[in-house]
Amino acid sequence: MTPTTVKTAPIPGQKPGTSGLRKKTRVFMEPHYLENFIQSIWNAIGGLSGKTLVLGGDGRYFNDRAAQVILRMAAASGAAKVIVGQGALLSTPAASNLIRQRKTDGGIIMSASHNPGGPDEDFGVKFNMPNGGPAPEDATDRMVKATQEITEYHILEAQDVDLSTLGVSTLGEMQVEVVDPVADYAALMEKLFDFNAIRAMFKAGFTVRFDAMHAITGPYATAILEETLGAAKGSVVNGVPSPDFGGGHPDPNPIWAKDLMDVMMAGSAPDLGAASDGDGDRNMIVGRGCYVGPSDSLAVLAANAHLTPAFSGGLKGVARSMPTSRALDRVAEKRGLDCYETPTGWKFFGNLLDDGRISLCGEESAGTGSDHVREKDGLWAVLLWLNILAVTGKSVQQTMTDHWAEFGRNFYSRHDYEAVDTDRANAMIEALRAKLPKLPGTEILGRTVESADEFAYDDPVDGSRSEGQGLRVSFNGGGRIVYRLSGTGTVGATLRVYIEDASDDPSTFLSETQHALSEMISIADHLAGIAENTGRTAPDVRT
Ligand code: VG1
Ligand code: CO
């Protein structure tokens, strides 16, 4: 087995977005496409000689083939060892945990997360750093530069490695260790939460329905919820990962997890419903007859985390991505916690977590996490909810009602316009950007603009600056609209409009969200001219 060197040339567009490089699967399967990007990662991190990596993915179509290519390329570039999840599977948080537990030099996660999978859908690759977190911008910038300069890549000519059997084998000079994808992660969860209290709650009749959406969390949720904690058999549904996620979008929101929503809104609903996404880092929480928006979930977790062993000493501080609702800020203020506002994408939380400034953070897109790993973590969030409910004995609905009574409510919704013509979307954002300086003090459909700007972030730990992170317009009284273009889509542009309005009037707390936001929704359209500019009269997805 000798390494071969293959001549290649740069392929345009190999630029990681919000979370790794995502493209159509067929693009990834084109000659040299995957190889160029993987070699560029090696080149950007100073080579692989003597290094140890973690490798795994969410099991989507091409996951198994890509894993074999990546292993042969790691061996050809002198890696000492690659630790692979059995079957080349690892959820994103489990991969982050393995990188940390085994103190590796980083890892490759094969996933396009909530994007659908299959030969005509999406694939993705991302590199995580030795801290277990997504590569920050300076590292991805180096990768992009490497993709533009690449002339050759190195690969071993060899048969496939058997990834179905646990244990150590060799590929050329490199060790390949196949590990149980669930074991280390499950052990970590047991350390963080009061499993006895959750077990007792299930024993007393508490019911849960966890929809794994045919994606990676199935095996994790079955092992932890059913086999360890004693939730009834069948509590985990759609629990076997499939390469095309059963033909659906593995995106845990009321649209794509509609089956779960229907069950939870029916009379005989379980006490807690939850769902996770393609790679297991997102979570949706829904109580009996009560959907919990991700921003509210984050705020509830921040307010109650101290009830669980993981946070018994209290939280160090909290953080949210900029478009996430300010419900978290209300909790932080009342509890005297520092609250940071970062750009969209988990990579921006890494420094705050590493520096010990925060211990809990999240995004409106159903991502919640803590310092236990350096990724958002879907099942962890569900376990945190379960632990809190086991301590308080409250229902989800009661938890929400009490939370709003104590902190007030921020109504919140994200409206997505998918596969919009890229030029039109860019033109709309540009026109709005030009308008921002003149907005403060003006009145739009009865609301006065307090401030308007384009968000830029100065990382307080390493001083790096990230510009162009979304246009935001805030109104007197706590209303806010944020506009940004998605960095994870693979077709045209996806316009995300984040709409928020604050209320301290208890008589409004149980209002329906879209209704409560109707004024702000009209303002959002009026201000940016969404209908004229995109040709769409309604969003494709409302979360
Ligand atoms: C989206 C979400 C963002 C999240 C990112 C990756 O990005 O808005 O909050 O961090 O997906 O999540 P964008 O650029 O499309 O808005 V995942 O679960 O897809 O890795
Ligand atoms: Co994800």
Side-chain angles (χ1 to χ4, degrees), residues 296-329:
D296 272 346
S297 174
L298 174 62
V300 167
L301 295 180
N304 295 287
H306 62 279
L307 301 174
T308 69
F311 304 107
S312 54
L315 297 174
K316 292 174 183 156
V318 293
R320 60 165 173 80
S321 67
M322 184 275 282
T324 303
S325 97
R326 276 96 40 104
L328 178 68
D329 307 37

Side-chain angles (χ1 to χ4, degrees), residues 489-512:
T490 57
V491 184
T494 293
L495 168 67
R496 303 202 194 284
V497 185
Y498 309 82
I499 303 152
E500 178 176 1
D501 209 357
S503 171
D504 290 302
D505 172 3
S507 73
T508 67
F509 289 165
L510 294 179
S511 308
E512 194 275 321

Side-chain angles (χ1 to χ4, degrees), residues 13-204:
Q14 292 200 322
K15 186 176 188 313
T18 312
S19 178
L21 180 68
R22 291 188 197 178
K23 295 288 172 194
K24 287 286 164 207
T25 311
R26 289 203 195 280
V27 172
F28 259 106
M29 290 166 69
E30 280 167 14
H32 307 317
Y33 196 94
L34 175 67
E35 291 86 345
N36 268 24
F37 189 61
I38 295 296
Q39 184 67 52
S40 299
I41 295 176
W42 301 166
N43 295 350
I45 62 170
L48 268 204
S49 183
K51 290 185 178 171
T52 298
L53 293 183
V54 164
L55 173 66
D58 63 13
R60 68 181 59 225
Y61 186 86
F62 194 51
N63 185 99
D64 49 351
R65 300 310 314 147
Q68 296 290 344
V69 169
I70 294 167
L71 285 172
R72 289 204 291 273
M73 290 187 67
S77 283
K81 183 172 188 168
V82 178
I83 301 166
V84 196
Q86 190 175 23
L89 299 177
L90 279 175
S91 76
T92 286
S96 181
N97 180 48
L98 260 186
I99 294 169
R100 295 167 67 77
Q101 298 284 340
R102 305 288 292 266
K103 300 193 169 38
T104 72
D105 300 289
I108 298 268
I109 300 175
M110 301 170 289
S111 169
S113 190
H114 60 286
N115 299 22
D120 296 313
E121 299 294 352
D122 294 352
F123 191 77
V125 168
K126 70 174 177 168
F127 182 76
N128 280 34
M129 307 296 278
N131 75 344
E137 282 186 331
D138 62 325
T140 53
D141 287 350
R142 281 198 301 276
M143 287 171 203
V144 174
K145 193 155 179 282
T147 68
Q148 292 160 348
E149 293 168 350
I150 192 165
T151 57
E152 59 183 35
Y153 61 82
H154 310 287
I155 189 160
L156 210 65
E157 264 177 45
Q159 297 297 318
D160 281 1
V161 182
D162 174 14
L163 299 178
S164 64
T165 317
L166 300 180
V168 181
S169 61
T170 55
L171 177 62
E173 315 259 287
M174 183 181 86
Q175 281 195 351
V176 177
E177 182 182 347
V178 178
V179 299
D180 178 343
V182 178
D184 290 40
Y185 178 84
L188 175 66
M189 293 303 117
E190 193 152 6
K191 268 195 243 150
L192 298 175
F193 300 116
D194 185 349
F195 272 27
N196 286 333
I198 302 174
R199 216 175 268 129
M201 180 170 73
F202 281 129
K203 214 162 185 193

